[in-house]
Amino acid sequence: MTEPLAPTDAAPATAAHKQSAAPDAQTLSELDDFSRAWHAKMYGSRATVQARLFCYLPFVLPLLHAYPKAAALDLRCGQGEWLETLSDTGFTAQGVDEDAALVAHCQHLGFQAQAKAALLALQACADQSYALISGFGLAEALPFQTLKQVVQESLRVLKPGGLLILQAVNPENIVVSSNQGFLDPTRRQPIPRALLAFVPEHAGFAQTKAIPLNEQFSLAVQQPVSLLNVLQDVSPLYAVIAQKSSDGLSAPLTIKAFDYDYGLSLETLASLFDQQIETKIQDAAASAARAEAALAAIHGSFMWRVTRPIRWTEQQVEQLQEDGVGTRVVAFVEKMHRLLVRQVLARVTGRRGFSRVQRYLEKVSHQQALVVAQRHALLAEQRKIPLDPAIIQQAYQTRERIETLSPEAQEIYQRLQQVGSTQRSNPAPQVDVPAAQPGLAVDQSKAAANSSVQPRS
Amino acid sequence: MKIVVDLQGAQNESRHRGIGRYALAFVKALIRNKGPHEVVVLLSDLFPESLAYAQDALGEQRTHCTIKIWSGIGPTDLRKPENHWRKDVSELMREAYIADLNPDVLIISSLLDSPGDNTIVSVSKLAPVYTVAMLYDLIPLLYKSEYLVDPTTQAWYYERLWQFKKADFWYAISESSRNDGIAQLGLPAAQVHNISAALGEDIVAVDLNAEQAAALKQKFGITRPFLLYSGAFDPRKNIDRLVHAYAAQHAEIRQVHQLVLAGGLNAPQLVHVNQLITAAGLDASQVIVTQRITDHELCALYGLCKAYILPTYCEGFGFTALEAMACGAPTIGSNYSSVPEVIGLPEALFDPFSVESIASKITQVLSDEAYRAMLFAHGPKQVQTFSWDHTACKALEALERLERDGVLRAKARSVVQPIASLGLSTVPQTSAPLSAHSRPQSKPPTAVALVTEITARIAAFAQTSQRPAVELQETASLVAGFLPRQDTRPRLFVDITELHATDSKSGIQRVVRSVIQHLLTDADAAYKVELVYAAKPLGYKTAVAFTRRMFGDGHLLNSTWGGRAADSNEGSDALSGNAAIGQDAYIHPRRGDIFLGLDLHFNIDQDHEHFFAQARRAGAHVYFVVYDLLPLLLKDTFTPELVEKYGNWLRVVSQQHGAVCISQAVAAELKAWVAQNQPAVAQSFDIDWFHLGADIESSIPSKGMPDDGSNLLQQLAAQPSFLAVGTLEPRKRHGQMLDAFEQLWAQNVAANLIIVGKPGWLTEALTTRLSAHPQLGRQLFWVQTASDEYLEKIYAAASCLIAASEAEGFGLPLIEAARHGLPIIARDIPVFREVAQEHVLYFAGDEGAALATVVQSWLALAKQQKTPDSRHIQRQTWAQSAQQLLSSVISAKDVTKIA
């Protein structure tokens, strides 16, 4: 983090940089072979990459009105996609990159490019020589001090009303910032939107806007938001676009694009997601309420009552099929028997001369009640879950210890509690030695062995 | 000499392995040979499911030793940091318990085994005890890279080693273990004693007939005579070289034999062994690898094999070689470690590190008949030299020598460990006491000092502040358990739950009140009587407030709180200012206490059942008074819920130590019920009986006369009045009485019927009949509630008592009538025969007519003054009754055990 990237050529470097010159150069070229292939694989074809850059056109086109064939400087131009877009638009684009091979590639494509460190390239520029300075992924590749200097120099180098564009990976996008953002091995660390936006503001740019970009997800289309959307569909990139004040120009260079809102933030997606869930819950509750109301209406309706015999017959048929004829007949007979006993008992109770009958009937009715109760109890029994008695005994033992404290035990408990509170207010230095460290224990054991050899007197 | 053996080795994971079996066999032999010494077996209740197993495994030796169970707080698995505090506390609990036992020597059966469970071992951290540790082997120390692979296991092992070294004496199970201990740990040679080992009990030579042998061989795929190895497959067992040695055999030998490797393997070991076999150029038909086999199968294989080989180069003892020899297998083994001691024959040994040496021995044993015969003859002779009794005697001799030399006494006199000013639980405490504080004590620390010390140490632990309240409470409760009671007499807890809740003035309540009155005044002074009641949700509480209300202050010698000067002057508890006086506190029965369920509280729930189980486990005795079995014998006169509840209550009662019934008849019924419904406890459940007393004055009578009382008494006195006393219930057969008297009144017989009693259950019909009766107030009287005073007067005015119950527990009204000299007409049932003998007029039959006839004959007899005189009925006072009850509960042998 602390060592800056060294320049690849013999540009004047401070003493601190000199030491790391040779090895870094080698490392860089190795890396870039790799990163080129990786870049191609991960970011897609040239056309795809360029398509992503079109979102900047609303910002940069007004510059051409003020400065026809304006000069544009792309720091870290890479494979030159932005250079191409700029030239097609009408800018005179020049590129700077530290990787000589990439620079050669750009030159081969017909653009002007230099292999230089970004800061050095800027320092070599004249005041107010460019209308547009851009750095895609530059902010993350540079140490922060260097970044600040770059921004400062840009302010000097830009023409009045000129733009500085810095693009970076949006840390707000959880998936990108943790995973995909580091597809580029030279990227050092994510830089938050607020911080990057503050740098040009502090440097003295007149207008600064931080814009989330490049989201795939569109709110315009009313699609449901899934959790994955919340995690990965927040704008993956953002750009800080800063405009130098137009002092010195005849007419102020206004760029309308600054006035609009862009991008999809994490808060928006997350709250959409929550709202969705809320709505689903409410819908479910509402439909449940409706179903209950409908059911109540049905149960209260005349037709339901009228069809009771039919339903009863159906149920009986079902039970008959399930239990068999024999069981049903027996159940029926039992039921009739119970009814009969109850009726006769009601008539006979209290009448003289029928005491014996009454006693007999009472006995019978008790037995019947017991049989019915037992049947219910058996059903209930079947649902019981057998528990290991040892566990129950253990649980009881612990409960008994805790809930039946004798007065002496209460005192001891309070004493231990007080200790707790005094320890909390004056925490003693916690010596958190693990149970025993091998060497320590053996030494101590040897020491103890020696002491235990002496006879105790 | 008092020897305490810590038998966690038979409770933790080791109980499935050789160490557990050794520990059990050793303890049993020790108890068998203890002579005049006392052996206490100490078990940990952090392994609750193993308690029953360990106690059963002691077999018949169980009765010759004392089994004690100490309680700790678990889990204490050291591999997890959150258990450290609990482990430290449990160590203190264990040591305190041991100190309380005041042993001369403590033998620890399992110090270095079984990581990762609740085993608690610490040596003299709290109070000095002469400790003997069993040294089985130091294999993990010798082969660290195999056994102490991860840092936690290593840390655990070294901590245990450090404790191990703090012991005062060591029993090694073989010379080689002894030498390892001396060489590796620097144990002093004079303190390490080889007590050897012997054969496990479940290893017996198995004789199989031809078919069984064939079946067994077929099961394992054995087709040829085989060379057998059994055991584990750790690297030190040297299976690699064994397989190579077998492969190096001549082709003829290999073709005619097989190698059988018996024992359980886990998956990686199995893979390794299979690779080994393939690499050696052998295949599955030549080398058979079985999985885990039973002991029986193993013994059979020992008997069937051609030879047994033990190629290991590091063992604690080498039990399999001994087993093989005992089961008739010619055995060869390595000449390293303890194997030579076990085999005891130099010609049978080989160098385990040399494949040629192993191979040549295998060749010899498989082809040389004479050699094998020699080994076969040697085996049984060698096995004879090992016996558990021999081991135990060696151990005891060593202890007796130490006792003679005064070493044990010297240890007991050494200083108590000072209060942990270090307070750091994770740093091991040094065993050398601070010289500035050394104060020699001539007796072990008092319990109070122990408790103070433990509390201070726990308070000093670093983590105490962060423990949840329930853990602190549980700890406090365990620590307080060591405190001696203020009154050191054993307790007699008398349950008066129903009386405490509501005094329903029923017959049972009168019994309870009378009994406790006499217990509190006349009881055996050896016991302290405390009235208790069931507390919701669990446990029992002392009924201090109730006792004070009932009996007033200070009249009684033996009450729960007042009384003897000795009590109040007794040394106060060091910890508490005794704020407990006057408050109902939970009871914690200890060894020697007695719990008597005097009141009929059958609404018992599961928690109270656990309470009794706990009390029994702690060594208290639990007895219940059974009044009757009516809800179970006359089920239809009671509600179904009551029948079920009663049955459940009786089931709980039958799990306790015994029951005292109120008559012999009930005792017989209870015996029959238990034999039928709880046959498992029928043998050990003690059933006794006692008779109730009859003197109402001493049972705190209630007073009060209703307004129309005197009027009623006058009417009663006017003509012969027949009295029935008792709650209206179906079985009391008031209906029959009413029928009988209706017949009599229809015949214009001059007789009153007075019924004294509240309506009970299932009597709505009867109640209606009574209230609506035409004779009510004229010749029929119904008094629902009567104070004792009123009842006395009714008795005096009546002419005869009718006891028509179908069944009774005792029949207190009979006794009370007898006290008043009132003649009695009673149904002819066994319990009435028992209580009233021949001094009443009996009747039989369910019809009113039968009773009416008897009443008329009684009236006829009365005219001639020839009615049976109830004054001859034998009765006793409540004092005698209470004494009878107590004596069946406190037996003489219990009293001696308390001392």
Side-chain angles (χ1 to χ4, degrees), chain B residues 571-605:
Chain B
S572 61
D573 186 350
L575 285 185
S576 94
N578 240 331
I581 287 188
Q583 298 237 338
D584 294 351
Y586 283 102
I587 65 170
H588 298 99
R590 296 188 185 181
R591 179 167 288 270
D593 292 342
I594 298 179
F595 182 96
L596 178 64
L598 180 62
D599 211 337
L600 183 58
H601 168 57
F602 55 82
N603 236 328
I604 224 159
D605 57 22

Side-chain angles (χ1 to χ4, degrees), chain B residues 546-835:
Chain B
F546 175 87
T547 315
R548 195 182 290 143
R549 222 173 39 235
M550 270 278 141
F551 299 102
D553 280 345
H555 288 307
L556 306 161
L557 295 178
N558 217 353
S559 64
T560 40
W561 41 265
R564 302 198 323 184
D567 276 11
S568 50
N569 285 345
E570 200 151 312
S572 61
D573 186 350
L575 285 185
S576 94
N578 240 331
I581 287 188
Q583 298 237 338
D584 294 351
Y586 283 102
I587 65 170
H588 298 99
R590 296 188 185 181
R591 179 167 288 270
D593 292 342
I594 298 179
F595 182 96
L596 178 64
L598 180 62
D599 211 337
L600 183 58
H601 168 57
F602 55 82
N603 236 328
I604 224 159
D605 57 22
Q606 216 188 15
D607 280 331
H608 292 109
E609 202 176 330
H610 285 299
F611 172 83
F612 296 129
Q614 195 96 326
R616 288 199 312 276
R617 198 145 68 94
H621 286 245
V622 181
Y623 293 93
F624 277 88
V625 172
V626 175
Y627 291 90
D628 55 56
L629 266 72
L630 297 169
L632 300 173
L633 299 175
L634 297 179
K635 290 198 174 87
D636 44 349
T637 57
F638 293 88
T639 53
E641 297 88 33
L642 198 130
V643 172
E644 195 204 318
K645 274 216 178 85
Y646 205 83
N648 185 50
W649 176 75
L650 212 54
R651 178 189 59 80
V652 172
V653 166
S654 62
Q655 310 282 341
Q656 313 307 325
H657 285 112
V660 190
C661 305
I662 57 174
S663 65
Q664 285 175 313
V666 173
E669 286 169 355
L670 181 60
K671 212 168 197 159
W673 185 90
V674 166
Q676 193 181 31
N677 292 283
Q678 303 284 330
V681 296
Q683 283 289 72
S684 54
F685 187 61
D686 208 7
I687 302 179
D688 207 346
W689 61 271
F690 77 112
H691 276 167
L692 304 176
D695 38 348
I696 286 192
E697 299 93 21
S698 60
S699 68
I700 319 171
S702 47
K703 304 213 187 287
M705 294 272 294
D707 300 325
D708 57 346
S710 40
N711 202 10
L712 182 120
L713 290 171
Q714 277 176 351
Q715 281 185 287
L716 287 180
Q719 52 185 26
S721 302
F722 292 82
L723 172 64
V725 175
T727 321
L728 266 55
E729 293 172 35
R731 68 181 165 94
K732 299 260 172 83
R733 296 300 190 82
H734 291 101
Q736 184 183 6
M737 277 191 263
L738 214 47
D739 296 336
F741 273 82
E742 280 167 359
Q743 285 183 12
L744 292 172
W745 290 323
Q747 296 165 13
N748 285 326
V749 173
N752 289 328
L753 173 64
I754 168 163
I755 298 179
V756 177
K758 276 202 299 255
W761 49 88
L762 298 180
T763 49
E764 298 83 18
L766 177 67
T767 325
T768 340
R769 189 177 165 195
L770 276 174
S771 341
H773 205 277
Q775 289 281 1
L776 186 66
R778 306 218 307 253
Q779 295 191 75
L780 170 67
F781 303 96
W782 181 22
V783 177
Q784 294 213 20
T785 47
S787 67
D788 290 317
E789 184 199 357
Y790 189 28
L791 190 57
E792 285 285 299
K793 297 216 164 78
I794 295 177
Y795 267 113
S799 322
C800 177
L801 180 92
I802 301 186
S805 287
E806 275 176 46
E808 279 285 343
F810 183 72
L812 209 51
L814 288 186
I815 297 293
E816 297 197 347
R819 213 171 50 77
H820 291 100
L822 204 59
I824 305 171
I825 297 176
R827 190 183 296 273
D828 194 351
I829 55 176
V831 68
F832 286 157
R833 286 272 176 193
E834 180 189 340
V835 168

Side-chain angles (χ1 to χ4, degrees), chain B residues 16 21 202-204 206 208 216 219-220 228-231 262-264 290-303 320 323 327:
Chain B
H16 301 299
R21 291 197 285 248
D202 37 357
I203 304 292
V204 282
V206 167
L208 295 184
L216 189 69
K219 176 176 175 183
F220 296 119
L228 177 66
Y229 163 79
S230 76
T290 72
Q291 286 300 330
R292 194 166 280 287
I293 60 177
T294 65
D295 280 338
H296 180 85
E297 286 171 342
L298 182 60
C299 296
L301 284 178
Y302 286 141
T320 48
E323 290 168 7
C327 292

Side-chain angles (χ1 to χ4, degrees), chain A residues 349 352 355-356 358-359 362-363 366 370 389-390 392-394 396-413 415-417 419-421 423-424 429-438 441-442 444-446 448-449 451-453 456, chain B residues 45 48 71-72 84 154-155 158-159 162 165 410-411 414 424 426-428 431 451 455 458-462 464-466 469-470 472-480 483 537-538 573 575-577 580 586 588 607 610-611 613-614 617 636 640 742 762 765 847:
Chain A
T349 304
R352 305 199 53 189
S355 56
R356 219 163 162 201
Q358 180 184 338
R359 271 206 305 282
E362 276 175 355
K363 207 175 195 170
H366 284 136
L370 275 175
I392 300 179
Q393 179 76 22
Q394 194 69 352
Y396 169 81
Q397 197 184 62
T398 311
R399 253 183 83 206
E400 194 248 354
R401 283 180 193 166
I402 294 171
E403 293 183 27
T404 63
L405 289 180
S406 65
E408 294 85 7
Q410 282 281 359
E411 269 204 35
I412 297 177
Y413 168 58
R415 205 173 290 182
L416 292 178
Q417 262 196 325
V419 159
S421 58
Q423 269 188 10
R424 273 190 287 273
Q430 298 265 1
V431 180
D432 228 9
V433 180
Q437 285 162 5
V442 171
Q444 286 201 332
S445 68
K446 284 212 178 87
S451 67
S452 73
V453 171
R456 293 185 202 279
Chain B
D45 103 347
S71 299
H84 284 248
Q154 189 176 39
Y158 275 100
E159 213 241 310
W162 184 78
K165 292 186 65 172
K411 175 86 185 199
S414 62
L424 302 171
T426 50
V427 174
S431 59
V451 168
T455 317
I458 297 181
F461 286 159
T464 303
S465 53
Q466 293 143 15
V470 287
L472 293 178
Q473 280 173 329
E474 202 178 343
T475 312
S477 144
L478 284 176
V479 173
L483 285 173
L538 40 75
D573 186 350
L575 285 185
S576 94
Y586 283 102
H588 298 99
D607 280 331
H610 285 299
F611 172 83
Q614 195 96 326
R617 198 145 68 94
D636 44 349
E742 280 167 359
L762 298 180
E847 292 302 310

Side-chain angles (χ1 to χ4, degrees), chain A residues 96-110:
Chain A
V96 168
D97 204 299
E98 286 169 357
D99 183 344
L102 284 174
V103 164
H105 180 71
C106 292
Q107 286 169 342
H108 176 74
L109 287 175

Side-chain angles (χ1 to χ4, degrees), chain B residues 149-194:
Chain B
V149 171
D150 65 288
T152 37
T153 315
Q154 189 176 39
W156 168 86
Y157 190 74
Y158 275 100
E159 213 241 310
R160 283 291 175 81
L161 267 185
W162 184 78
Q163 294 287 351
F164 184 74
K165 292 186 65 172
K166 285 208 299 178
D168 302 293
F169 202 83
W170 296 268
Y171 285 149
I173 63 171
S174 66
E175 273 304 318
S176 100
S177 291
R178 179 170 176 274
N179 292 333
D180 278 342
I182 295 170
Q184 299 291 329
L185 293 181
L187 304 178
Q191 321 281 79
V192 187
H193 192 60
N194 173 20

